[in-house]
Amino acid sequence: GDSVTQMEGPVTLSEEAFLTINCTYTATGYPSLFWYVQYPGEGLQLLLKATKADDKGSNKGFEATYRKETTSFHLEKGSVQVSDSAVYFCALIDTDKLIFGTGTRLQVFP
Amino acid sequence: DGGITQSPKYLFRKEGQNVTLSCEQNLNHDAMYWYRQDPGQGLRLIYYSQIVNDFQKGDIAEGYSVSREKKESFPLTVTSAQKNPTAFYLCASSIDPNGPYEQYFGPGTRLTVT
């Protein structure tokens, strides 16, 4: 079945460092891909999405490009802030169900 | 403001008691979902509903029950049959179940059973 694999965390960075969180997927069809963010004690918020190959999703300085050839959707940000500390979930939806990765915790220190 | 509300934010129950978690949305979304999140893990789908008066089991439905009598409401009951009910429960909705539409999440309810 469809699945999403994310890099293990936590990812620990200093403020203004470059961020990459890796995400790869397995799907039989042509899924849409998402990144969600969860701040402590809260629900999930949609961060960005891409619906077809070579699409780039972007929001709040975060970017991810849908790479069909490598089945990847890596999350990047050029300069992280302390306020970016959260858990980030990569997810895909093929027909009707959203399938999540296990999440990657990001900790940013001043 | 449109959105999804879950109440209460924290819930405590004794073992052996059933408990119902509330989820309401005013987004006019057709589909609603319940997920369970355990520490350090991803989200697991409990139940989902694509239309009023209809719902389907997700990956971990045992020990849970739901109803969908109104479009805007999708309550989840955690029964005494659920072996390990302590978790963070998240409700979500999407505009149309038949397509790759993103899901919008509520703030969650943290249930502790002792």
Side-chain angles (χ1 to χ4, degrees):
Chain A
D2 295 354
S3 66
V4 176
T5 303
Q6 286 182 240
M7 61 189 291
E8 295 251 349
V11 173
T12 304
L13 295 172
S14 297
E15 206 165 24
E16 298 184 4
F18 184 86
L19 168 71
T20 300
I21 299 178
N22 290 338
C23 171
T24 57
Y25 67 90
T26 302
T28 52
Y30 300 94
S32 292
L33 303 173
F34 306 88
W35 276 101
Y36 282 85
V37 58
Q38 184 178 33
Y39 297 102
E42 297 184 9
L44 275 67
Q45 300 174 27
L46 179 66
L47 182 59
L48 53 84
K49 67 178 182 179
T51 57
K52 61 183 187 299
D54 300 325
D55 266 3
K56 178 186 281 189
S58 62
N59 186 25
K60 299 180 181 178
F62 292 90
E63 292 183 341
T65 301
Y66 191 141
R67 301 284 187 203
K68 186 168 176 286
E69 64 276 12
T70 54
T71 61
S72 64
F73 193 54
H74 305 321
L75 183 68
E76 296 182 336
K77 187 176 185 183
S79 175
V80 294
Q81 305 301 311
V82 173
S83 57
D84 293 327
S85 298
V87 179
Y88 292 81
F89 291 93
C90 185
L92 70 82
I93 188 165
D94 195 356
T95 51
D96 59 349
K97 291 185 191 176
L98 198 55
I99 297 170
F100 289 89
T102 53
T104 302
R105 181 174 299 278
L106 170 65
Q107 297 174 327
V108 181
F109 294 96
Chain B
D1 281 336
I4 302 176
T5 57
Q6 291 185 244
S7 60
K9 190 169 179 64
Y10 300 96
L11 192 53
F12 298 88
R13 280 294 182 271
K14 294 290 187 186
E15 200 172 309
Q17 293 179 334
N18 290 355
V19 59
T20 297
L21 282 59
S22 167
C23 177
E24 305 277 331
Q25 54 99 359
N26 61 3
L27 300 167
N28 200 33
H29 285 176
D30 285 321
M32 297 187 74
Y33 309 82
W34 274 106
Y35 293 91
R36 171 184 172 131
Q37 185 179 25
D38 293 287
Q41 297 188 32
L43 279 68
R44 292 183 289 170
L45 182 64
I46 304 173
Y47 268 99
Y48 63 106
S49 168
Q50 298 175 323
I51 195 169
V52 174
N53 292 323
D54 189 34
F55 47 83
Q56 289 77 41
K57 293 182 179 180
D59 301 318
I60 56 164
E62 186 175 348
Y64 300 96
S65 66
V66 294
S67 64
R68 186 90 186 274
E69 297 176 2
K70 297 186 295 184
K71 186 175 184 177
E72 58 269 22
S73 178
F74 191 42
L76 173 74
T77 296
V78 184
T79 76
S80 57
Q82 168 50 232
K83 300 293 183 214
N84 186 18
T86 295
F88 190 49
Y89 290 88
L90 287 159
C91 180
S93 71
S94 69
I95 191 167
D96 185 335
N98 300 311
Y101 299 106
E102 61 265 34
Q103 293 180 13
Y104 295 84
F105 285 80
T109 292
R110 187 168 299 281
L111 173 64
T112 303
V113 177
T114 58

